[in-house]
Amino acid sequence: MDERDIIQQTAEHVRALLSGEGTGHDWHHIERVRRAALAIGQGEGADLFVVELAALLHDIADWKFAGGDHEAGPRQSRAWLQSLGVDARAIDHVCEIVAGLSFQGAGVKAAVLTLEGQCVQDADRLDALGAIGIARAFAYGGHKGQPLYEPDAPPTPHDSFEAYQRGASSTINHFYEKLLLLRDRMNTAAGRRLAAERHRFLEAYLEQFYAEWNGQR
Ligand code: ADP
Ligand code: NI
């Protein structure tokens, strides 16, 4: 099977698995990450076959939905790519990216990623910022049953993945516990530029949110 067929079949497989998903990890998220990762990867001179496969597979069995099983994503990715007869080195590389991508808490040191992993991570993080990022945060917060905002519960920077996984006390707190930290943790120049714009949008949104909350606007 040539690379184009492998990508095509993988896209169809992931689309079937994630269509209609209701917490912001749906097929459209995957498509946006795929497109952004390829654009970033092109500028960086990355291996675009690995970038595209990792972008497509990065959320197929996210720990948030696999009962907290961190190995499920890489394991299912490996089984799928082996079934297509993909080259073993490419499989190892893609699975390493899928395993290392997730944000694990404000105070947790991130996994070291290859250039290809850095491109996919930047693309995934961009989709957590801006107007779409805000929509996804509230969708996910609703799925978890979190309040929108709790003025008396200040945000806590999580210093372990376990603490981060237990979730935010409110979706507004998630802005401080993750979203507003991403701008300074981007890997690539293109990622940093786009993140800076989307970061400003989050700040403007929060300003308006508090003004409305306090009856000032
Ligand atoms: P990651 O695996 O790094 O969290 P994903 O691409 O899987 O990244 O996206 C998870 C989405 O859900 C993001 O938009 C993220 O901000 C949002 N999210 C995660 N945890 C929470 C939370 N506790 N409250 C609100 N949104 C959240
Ligand atoms: Ni994602």
Side-chain angles (χ1 to χ4, degrees):
M1 200 181 292
D2 70 18
E3 292 192 350
R4 249 195 40 208
D5 291 336
I6 291 167
I7 297 287
Q8 177 71 21
Q9 294 233 14
T10 301
E12 279 166 24
H13 175 64
V14 173
R15 186 208 290 261
L17 284 172
L18 296 182
S19 280
E21 203 277 343
T23 69
H25 292 76
D26 55 296
W27 167 248
H28 299 291
H29 165 64
I30 306 302
E31 282 228 285
R32 290 189 301 269
V33 172
R34 174 197 201 175
R35 191 184 56 216
L38 283 173
I40 294 170
Q42 201 142 34
E44 295 288 323
D47 177 343
L48 297 183
F49 178 60
V50 168
V51 165
E52 193 164 11
L53 280 180
L56 285 169
L57 290 165
H58 84 274
D59 274 335
I60 57 163
D62 193 285
W63 59 265
K64 293 189 239 35
F65 310 102
D69 178 357
H70 299 279
E71 298 305 315
R75 193 171 60 236
Q76 288 184 28
S77 299
R78 179 173 299 279
W80 168 254
L81 295 172
Q82 280 172 345
S83 78
L84 298 181
V86 175
D87 163 72
R89 274 187 45 201
I91 296 182
D92 286 347
H93 192 170
V94 170
C95 294
E96 183 192 325
I97 295 173
V98 172
L101 214 60
S102 256
F103 185 82
Q104 306 197 345
V108 183
K109 212 169 173 314
V112 177
L113 292 168
T114 59
L115 174 64
E116 287 72 19
Q118 293 179 6
C119 297
V120 179
Q121 186 176 62
D122 277 9
D124 193 30
R125 289 180 164 179
L126 285 169
D127 214 47
L129 297 175
I132 287 178
I134 294 170
R136 293 180 70 225
F138 284 104
Y140 186 80
H143 164 76
K144 295 260 288 185
Q146 271 169 204
L148 302 179
Y149 176 44
E150 281 297 349
D152 296 331
T156 40
H158 301 117
D159 55 9
S160 75
F161 195 13
E162 289 67 38
Y164 175 69
Q165 283 175 82
R166 275 184 250 117
S169 45
S170 71
T171 297
I172 289 295
N173 275 358
H174 184 67
F175 282 59
Y176 299 94
E177 291 165 357
K178 174 182 172 187
L179 306 183
L180 291 167
L181 307 176
L182 296 177
R183 180 190 61 182
D184 296 332
R185 299 184 186 203
M186 301 300 283
N187 304 299
T188 65
R192 267 190 293 281
R193 189 167 29 84
L194 291 164
E197 263 173 49
R198 294 183 189 197
H199 183 100
R200 282 194 289 277
F201 190 83
L202 295 190
E203 288 178 332
Y205 175 84
L206 287 171
E207 200 188 307
Q208 175 78 19
F209 187 98
Y210 296 130
E212 291 178 14
W213 190 277
N214 296 319
Q216 291 160 349
R217 256 180 236 171

